[in-house]
Structures are given as structure tokens and as C-alpha cells.
Amino acid sequence: MFKKLLIANRGEIAVRILRACRELGITGVAVYSDADRASLHVRMADEAYPIGPAPSRESYLRIDKLMHIARRAGCDALHPGYGFLAENPELPRACAEMGVTFVGPSSEAMERLGSKTAARELAFRAGVPMVPGVREPIPRLETARIIAGEIGYPILLKAVAGGGGKGMRMVASANELAAAWRDAASEALNAFGDERVYIEKYLDRPRHIEMQIFADSHGNVVYLGERECSVQRRHQKVIEEAPSPFVTPELRRAMGEAAVRLAREAGYTNAGTAEFLVDASRNFYFLEVNTRLQVEHPVTEAVTGLDLVKLQLRVAAGERLPITQQDVSLRGHAMECRIYAEDPENHFFPWPGQITLWRTPHGPGIRLDEGVYAGWTVPGEYDPLLAKLIAWGADRAETLARLERALEELQITGIRTNTALFQKILADADFQNGSIHTRWLDERLASLLPASAKDSGASSETLEIRVAMIAAALWHVNQANPAGEHPPQPTSQWRDDGRREQISRTPDR
Ligand code: MV4
């Protein structure tokens, strides 16, 4: 097993990985930006190193700085978490060059799956069903017109480098194609530096169901069941559950075996997720592979009894998977709420600031993966995920009751959060009987939120909307790809003092 692991991330996922390190006797090494000096992951780490200014492109997205710290601290492995550099093949490449083990797939497997058209080609070769469409980028508008006509409208233009709905445009008829083509290409160029797009048939109101897979470096691949992730807001997952209330044992097996074939075809190792769309007749269609540990991994942990982060570390260290497919069994039901510092009643405006009270739920079937503590100030520079509240129960009804009970126990003051929205979603009849699809929440929000929060286009709300848009734009600018080459920042006395000061000022513990 590894001796020392560098965690190239922050917040709750860095804390989650540190916990696995502690259990395995691995020294956990944190990195932190100027905005994260007093963050929980820094307090919980065995060692912590500064990585630069608050904007992530100058800190958490800097491969050169990470490699410098890995060398200086003597780390033999690196875990990327999710987000930031987790799916950037340059990181496993840089690790390989330095003799540091990357906890994840090879850069080659990542590249094979990073391009959506290459992934579709792999899926085709592996006999995995996918949405009707093409397997290569469309060179020009005239070609798009011919292919769209053959597939039949409505179609979707999707970015080859895509994911998360960026560079995606639905086209209802031929006369909308030219404008959508331009929009999709320019959005793709902007987001990924790659303007290429391809075409898929558009599915109306599908479910988003994903399959967890795990592969070791000895040719063993297993699937660990699905997660239902249809409750999303603008491509951001809000609630996830396992198993999906819609999936039958037959469908689970078919999707699981398809995901395993795909992993084998890609030469995949470590944890991965195959995303599928599922239509009302339970046909499933491959969408893409996420080559990382996912935010929602705890619901799979809850129903399988496995520790996915420890499994990741064992497999990365060259160990064989300790389980075969026959050993995988699902028990009970789990559901996760993503607790964000944001205001659902104000266009989901991010709400950084000091947490004055953080009173956490406990008791039967409750797990809280948190990245915060009372007295800490949520920085405005990052995704404002505070914690994930996960409930487990013998069945879906018990899980729902426990989650509702835990949401009542959870008390947060000082900042606004989305917890009240969860109470409304959990009380919704559609949600309770599992009749949900990928557009359900966006359509339902109008009735779940107070009238004042609806995007009605009323002139009284224009200023708020504009402020929210500017804030969102600033956030996105800060998320942009690593750009300028700045020399690594040396540790400074004032920064260390500041960190110590903020830690000693915090009221808890
Ligand atoms: C689709 C689709 C309908 N038809 N593809 C959105 C993000 C990207 N990963 C794929 N997405 C979709 N692809 C076809 N051919 C609908 C979506 C989609 C969606 C997918 C998963 C979760 C939420 C979604 C919300 C809107 C649209």
C-alpha cells in the first residue's frame, strides 16, 4: 500500500479521501489555496502545503505546482477527487513521468473516453446500445443538414469534447439548424477549446441512470449497481439514489454487463461511471463515461457495503479486486441531498459567508460527508457544495422518512442554503412515487418555489437576475482551464500566520 497520498482537491471530497487514508495507515497530504487556509480538509490532513492564490486556475488546476509538492512531500500516489483536474489526462501523464501513482485510469483510457464520438465508437465496438446518431464529428453545416434529415428531427447537436450540457443544442426542425449549429460550435469552442459537434436523435424526458463500475489491473471488472440521477437543475444533480426505483433486475443486469464490456474495450482501470439515458419503455442508451470517483458515490457505498475510496486505493496499488460479480449484492435503499450555500428563492445565487451555526443530523441510517465547520467562512471562489446528506433505509419509504427527519435536525445559520428545497422535493407526489425524468425539477421548480422567485421576466426582477448572471459569469471565469504560467508561490510568513490565526479564532472544538 502507498505510504503518502497527495490529495489534489479541497472540501468534502478531500475530507472523504483523508478518511480512507487514515483507515489504511496512509499519510494524507492536503493542498490549499489562499482561500482555504482554515478549511476542514487542511485541519484533518497529516500535512498541508499552500498551492497558490484563491482562483482555481492559479492553484488547484496547476499540475506543475501539484507535482512540485508531491516531490517535496515525498508522496508515492495522488488522488484527484472529482472536478478540477480529475478528468484531465495531463495529470496521470505528469504523475507517470514522476513515478507517482495516479489513483484513477490511465491517461490513454481517459483520452479514449474523453471524446464523446470516440466513446460512442468504443460503445459500438462493445455492442453497447446508444442513442441513434453518428460516431464521428460533423465537418460542416451541409453535412449536418443531410444527417439530421436522415435521423429525423428533433435532433441534438452535442460537443465532441462535451459533458454537462455545454455546447448542446436541441433542434426541432430543419429551419432552426443553422443558428443552433453556430451556437453549439461557439459554445463548445468557448468551453473546451474544441468547436467540433456531432448529432444524436433527441430523446424527450429520459431518465438519467448511471452504472458504477470498478476495474483492477488484472483484467477483473465488476458493476456495482446503478444510481438514479434524474433530479437535476440545469445539468446539476440535486438528489441521487440507489437503486433506481425504475430499474428492474433484468435492466440492471443488462446495463451493468454493457458497462463492463465498455470498460474492457477501453482498457479501463479503477472506478468509473457509465451514464445512460433510459426511456419510458426501459430502453437504455449509452451517453458517456465519467472517468473519476463521483460526488454521489456514497449512495452506492450504502447499498453495496463497499468503501469505494479504499477500493480505489487498493486497485491503484496493484491489488486485485477483493470481490467478483457474484459477491456484489444490493441491500436496502440510499438517497443523497447535495447541500449547497445558495439561495433557491433568489435564482440559486451562491451564498458564501461565515457559518455561525452548523448543527448536524445523526442517528440510524444517516451519513453526512461535510467539508465545513461552524465558524468557517465559505469562500466565494469555488463550487459552494457544503456537505452531502445521505440516508439509508431498508426500503425507499424508510430512506425517505430518515432523510426528512435528518433535514429537520440539520440547522445552519449565517449563510443561506438549499435545505428547504429538499423538504419540498421529498414531499412531492411525483418524487415519492418515483415518476421523475431529467426535466422534472426544472419544470417543477415554478410550483415548488414562492412566486417571487420565479423567472417570470417581470421588470422588478431584472436587476437581481443581472446580478446573478454576473456572479455566475465570474464564477465560470474562475473555473476556466489553466491558463497563464506563473511561478510557484513560495510559502510566506504572513500566510502561515493568517492560517494559524483563523484556526485559533474558530469557536468550535
Ligand atoms: C441527451 C438528452 C436527450 N437526448 N441526449 C445532458 C448532459 C449531457 N451529459 C447529456 N444530456 C442529455 N443528452 C439525447 N440524445 C437529454 C440530456 C439531458 C440530460 C441528461 C442527463 C441529465 C439531465 C439532463 C437534462 C437535460 C437534458
Side-chain angles (χ1 to χ4, degrees):
M1 190 33 74
F2 307 117
K3 290 196 163 54
K4 213 166 177 182
L5 180 79
L6 182 66
I7 297 152
N9 217 300
R10 63 177 301 282
E12 69 84 21
I13 194 62
V15 169
R16 170 71 188 87
I17 298 162
L18 282 165
R19 288 185 164 133
C21 286
R22 193 59 41 90
E23 291 178 28
L24 289 172
I26 301 169
T27 302
V29 179
V31 292
Y32 61 94
S33 74
D34 288 352
D36 273 329
R37 276 181 219 131
S39 291
L40 185 62
H41 76 283
V42 178
R43 294 177 125 200
M44 284 180 64
D46 296 298
E47 291 176 23
Y49 294 84
I51 194 167
S56 48
R57 64 173 183 280
E58 296 175 53
S59 50
Y60 298 106
L61 289 171
R62 288 286 297 271
I63 295 176
D64 56 340
K65 288 184 181 178
L66 287 167
M67 291 300 117
H68 177 78
I69 293 165
R71 179 181 296 135
R72 186 169 133 204
C75 296
D76 49 4
L78 179 148
H79 196 306
Y82 55 69
F84 294 128
L85 295 164
E87 298 191 78
N88 184 333
E90 298 305 327
L91 185 57
R93 197 166 290 133
C95 285
E97 278 165 21
M98 267 200 47
V100 171
T101 303
F102 178 77
V103 182
S106 67
S107 55
E108 292 81 12
M110 235 183 229
E111 263 158 6
R112 283 194 277 272
L113 295 163
S115 154
K116 303 307 154 206
T117 43
R120 281 172 65 83
E121 184 60 39
L122 272 174
F124 176 74
R125 288 210 299 273
V128 173
M130 60 186 135
V131 191
V134 297
R135 282 174 272 132
E136 62 286 310
I138 309 280
R140 64 189 73 83
L141 177 60
E142 287 65 40
T143 321
R145 204 177 287 288
I146 295 163
I147 291 168
E150 284 168 7
I151 293 171
Y153 292 92
I155 57 116
L156 260 185
L157 295 174
K158 288 189 174 185
V160 169
K166 272 184 203 145
M168 196 168 90
R169 285 290 182 285
M170 200 268 269
V171 190
S173 63
N175 58 12
E176 294 172 15
L177 184 65
W181 171 266
R182 277 192 303 273
D183 289 352
S186 80
E187 196 173 300
L189 182 65
N190 224 343
F192 313 110
D194 179 349
E195 64 176 354
R196 293 175 303 159
V197 297
Y198 71 101
I199 296 181
E200 282 180 14
K201 175 82 188 160
Y202 174 75
L203 302 183
D204 186 44
R205 294 180 166 79
R207 285 167 177 266
H208 171 124
I209 301 177
E210 57 187 31
M211 184 59 67
Q212 177 72 53
I213 55 134
F214 235 101
D216 67 19
S217 51
H218 306 276
N220 304 301
V221 189
V222 295
Y223 63 90
L224 303 179
E226 80 284 358
R227 293 183 287 260
E228 167 69 65
C229 303
S230 297
V231 181
Q232 308 208 357
R233 180 186 163 268
R234 299 185 180 179
H235 304 298
Q236 283 270 58
K237 292 168 188 161
V238 174
I239 297 182
E240 305 97 344
E241 62 180 297
S244 164
F246 192 66
V247 171
T248 60
E250 296 72 37
L251 179 58
R252 176 171 306 119
R253 187 181 173 141
M255 284 174 67
E257 289 177 353
V260 166
R261 287 199 302 278
L262 191 60
R264 289 191 189 283
E265 191 71 38
Y268 198 82
T269 49
N270 219 288
T273 298
E275 289 188 2
F276 295 96
L277 295 178
V278 180
D279 69 17
S281 313
R282 292 196 172 78
N283 298 305
F284 66 95
Y285 307 93
F286 167 70
L287 212 51
E288 57 191 72
V289 175
N290 300 132
T291 60
R292 58 167 194 276
L293 180 73
Q294 289 198 266
V295 177
E296 59 272 25
H297 76 275
V299 295
T300 299
E301 295 190 319
V303 297
T304 60
L306 297 166
D307 183 320
L308 297 194
V309 180
K310 285 202 289 192
L311 264 188
Q312 281 195 294
L313 291 164
R314 290 189 194 286
V315 161
E319 289 183 26
R320 288 172 180 277
L321 276 175
I323 44 158
T324 64
Q325 193 61 55
Q326 284 71 43
D327 301 325
V328 178
S329 63
L330 305 182
R331 190 168 156 261
H333 203 100
M335 215 177 265
E336 174 182 278
C337 293
R338 297 190 184 191
I339 314 287
Y340 277 95
E342 65 183 16
D343 184 4
E345 298 191 7
N346 245 315
H347 316 286
F348 293 85
F349 194 93
W351 210 271
Q354 193 184 33
I355 300 172
T356 50
L357 176 75
W358 181 257
R359 192 127 164 233
T360 56
H362 303 272
I366 294 301
R367 165 175 171 180
L368 188 72
D369 277 25
E370 54 202 327
V372 307
Y373 57 87
W376 184 64
T377 297
V378 181
E381 283 87 356
Y382 312 108
D383 182 289
L385 178 66
L386 301 171
K388 302 180 308 205
L389 175 61
I390 304 109
W392 180 90
D395 53 30
R396 195 168 186 262
E398 185 177 51
T399 304
L400 272 167
R402 283 179 168 170
L403 199 48
E404 285 181 315
R405 185 263 296 167
L407 283 164
E408 282 169 27
E409 289 180 25
L410 176 63
Q411 288 180 50
I412 306 167
T413 61
I415 54 170
R416 294 195 187 167
T417 73
N418 59 345
T419 49
L421 178 61
F422 291 119
Q423 281 159 332
K424 290 177 191 151
I425 295 173
L426 298 188
D428 185 278
D430 282 351
F431 183 80
Q432 286 185 358
N433 52 42
S435 325
I436 42 164
H437 52 78
T438 46
R439 277 165 57 195
W440 179 80
L441 184 58
D442 284 322
E443 291 172 359
R444 195 46 140 222
L445 275 176
S447 58
L448 289 178
L449 297 175
S452 64
K454 289 174 200 166
D455 285 322
S456 59
S459 56
S460 64
E461 289 179 334
T462 304
L463 180 62
E464 274 171 39
I465 293 169
R466 283 181 187 170
V467 171
M469 283 171 70
I470 291 165
L474 285 170
W475 189 80
H476 277 281
V477 165
N478 283 329
Q479 299 304 301
N481 290 326
E485 290 298 312
H486 304 283
Q489 289 290 114
T491 317
S492 74
Q493 193 59 46
W494 72 263
R495 199 184 296 157
D496 287 349
D497 288 346
R499 180 178 163 216
R500 219 167 292 125
E501 203 179 291
Q502 195 173 355
I503 289 170
S504 59
R505 242 192 283 126
T506 55
D508 76 324
R509 275 168 248 240

